[in-house]
Amino acid sequence: MSSPESTEWKKTACIICALNCGLEVQTKGPRIIRIRADKEHPISHGYLCEKAQRMDYYQNGADRLSSPMRRRADGSYEAIDWDTAIGEIAEKFAAIKSKYGGESILYYGGGSQGNHLGGTYADSTIKALGIQYRSNALAQEKTGEAWVQGKMMGSGVHCDFEHAEVAVFLGKNPWQSHGFARSRVILRDMQKDPNRFIIVIDPCKTETAEMADYHLAVKPGTDAWCLAAMTAIIVQEGLVPMAWHEEHTTGLNDIVAVLRRIPVSRYAQICGVDEALLRSATRCIAQAKSVSMLEDLGVQMNIHSTLNSYLNRLVWLLTGHYGRPGTNNAFVPFLNLSHSGRDQAKKAPKSATGVPKAGRTSPVTGSKIIMGLIPCNVIPEEILTDHPKRLRAMFIESSNPVHSLADSQKMREALRALELSVVIDVAMTETAQQADYVLPASSAFEKAEATFFNIEVPKNGFHLRQPLFEQRKGTLTEAEIHARLVEALGAVGPAQYGLLRKAARWGLLPYALAFGWKSMRDKRVARNAPVVLYRTLGPYMPKGMEAGASLWGICQMYVRQQPQAAARAGFGGHSLLAANRLFKAIVGSPSGVVYADTEYSHSWKAVRLPGQRINLWIPELLPEIEKLAQGGPAVDAQYPFVLSAGERRTETSNTTFRDSTWHKKGPFGTLRISPQDAAELGCQAGDWVRVTTRRGSADAEVELSEALQSGHVSLPNGLGLDYRRADGVVERKGVSLNELTGVMERDPIAGTPWHKRVPARIERIPTSAPVTA
Ligand SMILES: Nc1nc2c(c(=O)[nH]1)N[C@H]1C(S)=C(S)[C@@H](COP(=O)(O)OP(=O)(O)OC[C@H]3O[C@@H](n4cnc5c(=O)[nH]c(N)nc54)[C@H](O)[C@@H]3O)O[C@H]1N2
Ligand SMILES: Nc1nc2c(c(=O)[nH]1)N[C@H]1C(S)=C(S)[C@@H](COP(=O)(O)OP(=O)(O)OC[C@H]3O[C@@H](n4cnc5c(=O)[nH]c(N)nc54)[C@H](O)[C@@H]3O)O[C@H]1N2
Ligand code: SF4
Ligand SMILES: [Mo]
């Protein structure tokens, strides 16, 4: 807890990207004043990047909330007290539920890059309101990949670059965006080693591409041709290890028949990569002892998104790279965030959070539900319609969809068309500014917090962070907010708590027995398990750690689902006792705990398809493969540039830092363009241009970059926020990208947006006045 001046180093974690590196910090009053890496963190092992130093900009942002807010008819907000807020929200949701059913309410979000604990409590609210549909940012990036992964393996995989001979990055720039533990250290190690190779598939000469042995600089949006050519080279040059396939896969003959027909030279030409380079990079993959491959937004937010995820997997699976040190491997999740594999898995994975099973498609557009999520891009269409099954209300937690989803204008319209919208956030965000009610959460440093992005192999860690500060006055933790809501809804209350509270006083074993007994007799206990845990076990947790109570239930589930991985990590024996020990270890370890330790052979046990064989054949994608023969992506003469709307750079942090002054050195929010294109437009570095897309216009400062191909421009993600400074002035720095993007430009299967390939027009302008249309 905070004291006025503290020279003590307190442990916490960075919340800027999914790695959540362990930190040690010193605080002074309400501020974080010094930050260094935590060497004891079981995953980051003392690694940090520069962004962690700016954590105080999150903690002490000027637009943080300190009271519940209610929207007035004129669009302004008034502060109200918590009892009023909870009472009114519960009453209004209950009315919507009884009028249209819980399926008319969408739950969106549940955690951003490093605050996922609150989302576990939302489970109780979701059940109490009978909510059937959920979505979050994963449904605008990872659902295509998850769908493919479900069809091919039924489980999630992660790369093992530390041990890989060859690393392949597809539409991914780990130097900036990270994505695996200690990214820069591992990249440097690989670069230095003459026997290891880095292959980058990216139109830009990124920092990672600069380090690569092979840079396949595809033309923007042509990865499908590049990957199809690589898979064809593997098949046509006889680089398929047949014995491996006989043992491990199905569908080889079907896919080989398709790939045999692919004209490699023509596809190399379409993607703009020299055929000889493409062939030698492909041979490098086929001949290596181990290859790990990581794809990300460059292909996932692009045309052929789902197809690219499939072709990427074919590259490493056709060449037999799976289930060994240095290849991609199945990781052991602590809490399963993904519902992938529902289609083909022998046993459909149970939702660890127990979220009610939604229909397989969204109510209005009939879009596929993948990972239990409706595609982000269809949300406005699910609201702005007179369809009787349309969504009528939204519950938004720890997310900023007005800013982060395609077509901000439409998202604002959709929110205002709802009968009720409620936002839980720490700041008065762009989304909060459209909501009927805004509930202020205590920050990630004022409560127990954790990430469920636990994807490392073979050892996997979980880090329950302790609070650095008291809760800001007027704020509540998500656990407390959800508990108050479900109690106000009458879903649970003292009748469920009494006995369990008594048992908790006696220790975890009596508590576990009482919980089992009580939940068999009273359905409300199991149904509201997270809130019941918070109300009964929470009070016996160390001060400030109450919100960690739901982890007790997650430990119980985890140990039952993964007894071997848990036992190897030291949590073996009777599952109930082992789970209790794991829970105690988690609560008592400020740097985090290794909860899973697996052998690489676990990757095969994790394949949840018949015979634990990987399936190589996805017939649904055949028409897309065949369409490639028609030639490269069309160019619209009116919008001759390809805009990549959302590049990760040193100045980006999603929207965790809302105050742009966090970024101290170098350009901020510039449009990167090749010197040649800039010269043709008559501009120089520092000039301003207007970028116009089919959806809108925005102004940006020009930065000349040799990294970009002619015809390709890029803008950074997460900027252009409307930040209210301490002096009350609302400032917007950088481009609010989704004023420029549309909801219809999306993948035909997963509905993921094509943000990396937005057709655009660029004109030089004399002023720097920002416009949005
Ligand atoms: N600094 C920083 N780090 C972050 C974040 C942040 O905001 N700031 N955000 C985090 C989040 S939420 C995520 S999802 C990850 C995303 O991490 P990345 O996916 O690595 O990030 P991006 O820079 O959006 O896109 C990656 C690459 O795609 C390339 N690209 C553009 N068009 C194409 C194309 O047509 N084909 C190919 N092959 N590549 C193309 C770009 O040149 C870029 O290098 O980063 C995380 N890390
Ligand atoms: N055009 C374009 N759009 C993009 C992208 C792109 O590249 N291009 N990238 C996309 C990607 S990959 C992602 S992941 C999304 C991210 O977009 P979002 O999912 O909207 O997430 P964040 O920007 O991380 O914002 C998280 C919110 O959580 C709030 N918050 C922080 N701490 C707490 C807390 O303790 N409790 C609560 N309740 N709230 C808290 C923050 O104030 C913030 O409003 O953006 C996407 N949007
Ligand atoms: S931004 Fe990511 S890599 Fe950098 S310190 Fe934070 S969590 Fe670690
Ligand atoms: Mo993301």
Side-chain angles (χ1 to χ4, degrees):
M1 285 292 130
S2 119
S3 53
E5 174 110 37
S6 166
T7 50
E8 176 201 353
W9 288 97
K10 302 176 214 172
K11 288 173 191 281
T12 182
C14 176
I15 55 166
I16 298 305
C17 84
L19 294 189
N20 298 116
C21 299
L23 304 182
E24 292 182 329
V25 306
Q26 286 182 345
T27 57
K28 185 174 181 183
R31 307 206 84 95
I32 301 173
I33 52 167
R34 249 173 243 109
I35 296 174
R36 68 182 188 195
D38 179 5
K39 296 197 179 81
E40 287 164 24
H41 190 275
I43 301 298
S44 61
H45 297 291
Y47 178 87
L48 270 195
C49 82
E50 69 288 350
K51 286 178 286 292
Q53 294 302 327
R54 300 282 177 260
M55 224 43 73
D56 194 58
Y57 283 80
Y58 160 79
Q59 174 61 22
N60 288 300
D63 62 355
R64 273 200 60 190
L65 292 156
S66 52
S67 164
M69 307 294 271
R70 181 174 58 199
R71 191 180 170 98
R72 296 195 189 98
D74 66 0
S76 63
Y77 285 83
E78 60 190 329
I80 53 173
D81 63 68
W82 274 103
D83 287 346
T84 307
I86 297 287
E88 289 185 12
I89 291 168
E91 193 184 313
K92 288 184 182 175
F93 268 130
I96 288 171
K97 183 191 174 198
S98 71
K99 200 160 164 201
Y100 310 110
E103 65 272 24
S104 68
I105 306 169
L106 177 67
Y107 176 80
Y108 187 88
S112 49
Q113 297 294 297
N115 57 306
H116 298 163
L117 210 46
T120 64
Y121 295 96
D123 187 50
S124 296
T125 303
I126 285 170
K127 284 196 182 127
L129 292 174
I131 290 177
Q132 299 293 313
Y133 296 107
R134 304 196 313 158
S135 190
N136 63 40
L138 292 170
Q140 46 92 68
E141 49 176 323
K142 298 288 172 265
T143 36
E145 182 179 27
W147 183 81
V148 167
Q149 196 57 35
K151 300 263 174 207
M152 298 181 89
M153 296 187 184
S155 62
V157 296
H158 189 55
C159 41
D160 179 20
F161 294 119
E162 189 163 2
H163 304 107
E165 183 178 316
V166 174
V168 188
F169 300 107
L170 172 62
K172 170 83 198 166
N173 179 15
W175 186 266
Q176 277 307 344
S177 66
H178 290 85
F180 52 96
R182 300 165 57 246
S183 303
R184 290 177 184 172
V185 173
I186 291 176
L187 283 170
R188 272 199 219 101
D189 285 351
M190 288 202 85
Q191 186 191 24
K192 273 188 261 163
D193 189 335
N195 298 314
R196 299 171 77 196
F197 304 92
I198 299 175
I199 300 175
V200 170
I201 306 176
D202 195 310
C204 299
K205 196 145 185 90
T206 60
E207 295 87 344
T208 313
E210 292 274 4
M211 304 174 85
D213 300 277
Y214 301 88
H215 177 202
L216 311 184
V218 289
K219 291 184 199 155
T222 63
D223 298 84
W225 287 271
C226 176
L227 294 165
M230 290 173 84
T231 54
I233 292 166
I234 294 165
V235 166
Q236 294 170 17
E237 292 194 7
L239 303 172
V240 178
M242 296 308 290
W244 190 86
H245 285 277
E246 265 160 39
E247 197 182 336
H248 290 307
T249 66
T250 58
L252 180 68
N253 292 340
D254 296 301
I255 189 65
V256 162
V258 173
L259 300 179
R260 274 203 196 295
R261 299 198 301 267
I262 283 179
V264 172
S265 307
R266 179 157 173 259
Y267 282 19
Q269 220 166 22
I270 291 174
C271 72
V273 179
D274 174 62
E275 186 182 336
L277 181 69
L278 196 62
R279 285 188 187 273
S280 53
T282 308
R283 287 177 201 138
C284 173
I285 291 171
Q287 284 153 8
K289 272 209 289 295
S290 57
V291 177
S292 264
M293 211 160 159
L294 182 60
E295 63 172 58
D296 214 337
L297 304 184
V299 289
Q300 293 183 342
M301 285 189 174
N302 214 323
I303 53 169
H304 300 123
S305 160
T306 303
L307 176 63
N308 283 333
S309 293
Y310 178 44
L311 294 172
N312 167 21
R313 273 156 188 74
L314 285 178
V315 170
W316 47 270
L317 288 170
L318 282 171
T319 48
H321 293 297
Y322 178 70
R324 294 191 309 276
T327 68
N328 288 7
N329 280 284
F331 60 88
V332 177
F334 185 44
L335 175 70
N336 205 345
L337 291 178
S338 157
H339 300 238
S340 72
R342 195 169 259 171
D343 288 352
Q344 289 206 10
K346 273 192 297 188
K347 274 193 283 174
K350 275 192 213 124
S351 151
T353 48
V355 171
K357 235 176 146 179
R360 294 172 59 77
T361 56
S362 66
V364 174
T365 62
S367 302
K368 266 196 182 60
I369 289 179
I370 306 171
M371 300 171 85
L373 308 172
I374 71 171
C376 294
N377 269 51
V378 307
I379 292 172
E381 285 168 78
E382 303 282 338
I383 297 169
L384 297 168
T385 163
D386 55 9
H387 193 289
K389 290 272 170 209
R390 68 185 178 272
L391 298 173
R392 315 276 179 155
M394 252 174 111
F395 196 116
I396 301 170
E397 179 165 351
S398 192
S399 272
N400 188 357
V402 163
H403 185 267
S404 61
L405 299 192
D407 203 334
S408 297
Q409 181 59 39
K410 229 188 195 128
M411 206 54 230
R412 279 192 289 268
E413 222 178 283
L415 275 179
R416 293 313 312 142
L418 293 169
E419 292 183 22
L420 179 63
S421 51
V422 174
V423 166
I424 304 181
D425 205 297
V426 297
M428 195 66 192
T429 66
E430 293 63 24
T431 303
Q433 288 166 37
Q434 303 299 323
D436 296 321
Y437 292 88
V438 186
L439 301 178
S442 311
S443 88
F445 300 121
E446 297 167 353
K447 63 196 174 205
E449 225 356 317
T451 178
F452 291 116
F453 289 142
N454 318 113
I455 54 173
E456 293 301 319
V457 182
K459 283 188 169 51
N460 213 344
F462 180 79
H463 183 193
L464 176 65
R465 285 121 54 183
Q466 303 183 348
L468 303 174
F469 303 102
E470 302 279 352
Q471 286 169 233
R472 175 175 287 214
K473 203 159 171 279
T475 68
L476 293 177
T477 66
E478 288 81 357
E480 182 66 32
I481 295 172
H482 287 294
R484 290 190 187 185
L485 266 174
V486 293
E487 285 161 357
L489 287 162
V492 70
Q496 282 72 47
Y497 302 154
L499 171 83
L500 292 174
R501 262 193 203 144
K502 280 191 199 125
R505 205 178 301 152
W506 292 95
L508 282 182
L509 182 59
Y511 183 79
L513 297 173
F515 195 90
W517 186 85
K518 182 84 179 155
S519 49
M520 274 193 296
R521 269 154 195 79
D522 185 344
K523 281 205 181 84
R524 290 176 172 217
V525 170
R527 216 175 143 70
N528 294 286
V531 161
V532 172
L533 288 169
Y534 171 69
R535 284 290 194 229
T536 60
L537 187 57
Y540 298 95
M541 307 270 294
K543 186 168 163 13
M545 297 293 276
E546 298 81 358
S550 62
L551 295 173
W552 181 82
I554 295 168
C555 286
Q556 296 290 340
M557 278 191 294
Y558 163 70
V559 170
R560 280 177 181 78
Q561 282 163 4
Q562 300 282 356
Q564 282 161 345
R568 282 173 59 93
F571 305 102
H574 188 283
S575 61
L576 191 150
L577 300 176
N580 278 351
R581 275 192 288 122
L582 175 58
F583 178 67
K584 271 193 195 154
I586 285 173
V587 175
S589 309
S591 288
V593 168
V594 171
Y595 67 88
D597 186 355
T598 46
E599 288 163 324
Y600 287 95
S601 60
H602 164 82
S603 293
W604 294 106
K605 296 189 193 119
V607 175
R608 282 186 290 189
L609 298 182
Q612 294 180 332
R613 281 173 168 271
I614 293 170
N615 168 43
L616 299 175
W617 179 232
I618 306 185
E620 291 96 322
L621 290 174
L622 184 61
E624 283 215 52
I625 298 181
E626 288 184 333
K627 256 191 257 159
L628 297 177
Q630 294 167 8
V635 179
D636 180 340
Q638 268 201 304
Y639 301 97
F641 281 92
V642 170
L643 165 68
S644 278
E647 188 180 36
R648 270 68 190 163
R649 299 184 186 167
T650 50
E651 78 263 33
T652 72
S653 60
N654 279 7
T655 65
T656 303
F657 300 142
R658 294 182 55 82
D659 175 354
S660 64
T661 64
W662 78 272
H663 182 68
K664 303 290 179 204
K665 265 192 273 171
F668 185 92
T670 48
L671 178 94
R672 287 189 180 155
I673 184 168
S674 74
Q676 178 194 340
D677 286 344
E680 272 168 33
L681 292 169
C683 15
Q684 295 173 355
D687 285 351
W688 282 71
V689 288
R690 180 151 304 160
V691 183
T692 303
T693 67
R694 293 189 187 114
R695 195 64 194 98
S697 292
D699 294 352
E701 190 186 332
V702 165
E703 178 188 342
L704 303 186
S705 170
E706 299 280 357
L708 276 117
Q709 300 183 17
S710 176
H712 190 201
V713 291
S714 95
L715 281 166
N717 71 301
L719 308 184
L721 298 165
D722 295 325
Y723 175 68
R724 186 178 292 276
R725 301 189 320 213
D727 61 8
V729 174
V730 177
E731 182 178 82
R732 185 187 284 199
K733 287 270 171 70
V735 175
S736 181
L737 284 183
N738 290 313
E739 305 287 348
L740 300 176
T741 61
V743 290
M744 300 309 287
E745 288 77 17
R746 63 185 187 232
D747 184 73
I749 289 177
T752 39
W754 295 341
H755 290 334
K756 294 287 182 216
R757 197 172 189 291
V758 182
R761 185 168 65 232
I762 297 180
E763 300 143 285
R764 195 180 158 202
I765 49 164
T767 69
S768 62
V771 298
T772 46

